Amino acid sequence: MNKLHTMALVAMVALSAAGTQALAQTAAKGTTKGATTKVTDADVRQMIESSFTSKGPATVEGVLNQDATQKACSQYPDRSKVPAAVAKKVEAAELKQVKYPADNNWLGDWKEGEKIAQNGRGMQFTDAVGGTNGGNCYACHQLTKAEISFGNIGPSLYQYGKLRGNSQEVVRYTWGKIWDSNAFSACSNMPRFGHKGILTEQQIRDVMALLLDPASPVNQ
Ligand code: HEC
């Protein structure tokens, strides 16, 4: 299959009745009596356009309008196969987009950070437009000993600050990683929280404190 196909499956936009038929037709084109017909990007784009309707913050345009990094990364469904030259280019471009806190205030309140890390709401068709988003960090990371329900797409961040300390270098890297994950590993599965406006600067401060404050349960 191709890149947009995968996106269609994860898109959280509403599916219309007419769209269900278009979906079936595109799927049928993929396998005709045992023979495989090539489904092109144009087919999939058309299928998405006719099958989905925007609802709330989940928009069809949001799925179809890819930025340069998304376009580059979509060429490599297996992220481990991104060529080094492409990765270098993506990382350099994304690093330029990181906005560091102008007031030099890097750490907020870890208690708020924990709530953000636990919160998986936001940007779905059932959410309010312009509402507050969660970070859903636990979906991919272990963070504390107390929370035993976590995903492992990302590495464990338990004792993150205890193990790395909080030198200016570590603090700056961590902020940059949360702001734009792709600045440090091209085509990362981790959302670009700051760059895409998923989390506000204050929310990032709070999540930073969760990772780096010695009093945070992450560092016990
Ligand atoms: C959809 C999965 C996913 C979500 C959600 C996610 N991450 Fe990640 N994260 C990853 C992956 C995968 C990595 C490994 C490096 C990479 O591919 O970017 C990572 C790496 C990191 C790193 C760097 C770790 C290191 O060893 O240098 C930090 C810090 C981090 N994530 C923090 C967070 C925080 C904070 C949140 C929530 C606001 C979060 N992540 C949400 C997938 C995710």
Side-chain angles (χ1 to χ4, degrees), residues 13-123:
V13 287
L15 187 61
S16 68
T20 315
Q21 202 188 347
L23 260 175
Q25 280 163 0
T26 309
K29 192 178 170 191
T31 50
T32 316
K33 289 197 181 129
T36 307
T37 321
K38 189 159 169 35
V39 177
T40 65
D41 274 3
D43 289 333
V44 177
R45 174 171 276 271
Q46 201 208 348
M47 183 270 287
I48 293 173
E49 274 167 353
S50 60
S51 304
F52 294 91
T53 49
S54 299
K55 197 169 174 218
T59 63
V60 175
E61 300 75 54
V63 173
L64 292 175
N65 299 345
Q66 297 186 309
D67 67 19
T69 288
Q70 288 167 322
K71 278 190 190 133
C73 292
S74 292
Q75 305 303 316
Y76 310 99
D78 177 351
R79 312 239 141 155
S80 68
K81 302 233 158 67
V82 181
V86 175
K88 219 174 136 187
K89 216 175 137 192
V90 165
E91 286 164 12
E94 297 294 307
L95 191 57
K96 277 198 202 134
Q97 299 178 153
V98 176
K99 287 201 190 90
Y100 296 95
D103 60 359
N104 225 22
N105 184 5
W106 303 76
L107 301 184
D109 176 353
W110 68 259
K111 292 194 185 88
E112 289 304 314
E114 169 66 8
K115 285 184 211 156
I116 295 161
Q118 291 276 1
N119 182 2
R121 294 302 312 194
M123 305 180 83

Side-chain angles (χ1 to χ4, degrees), residues 141-198:
H141 296 284
Q142 178 184 30
L143 286 139
T144 58
K145 268 266 178 276
E147 179 53 85
I148 54 166
S149 171
F150 54 84
N152 60 4
I153 292 174
S156 171
L157 301 175
Y158 179 57
Q159 297 196 325
Y160 185 87
K162 196 171 180 176
L163 294 171
R164 295 179 196 222
N166 56 359
S167 65
Q168 185 57 28
E169 225 182 337
V170 168
V171 170
R172 198 177 161 82
Y173 158 72
T174 308
W175 183 283
K177 181 72 194 176
I178 298 169
W179 190 277
D180 192 330
S181 57
N182 280 245
F184 301 93
S185 69
C187 310
S188 169
N189 285 320
M190 178 165 149
R192 295 175 287 174
F193 289 105
H195 176 60
K196 295 297 269 183
I198 301 166

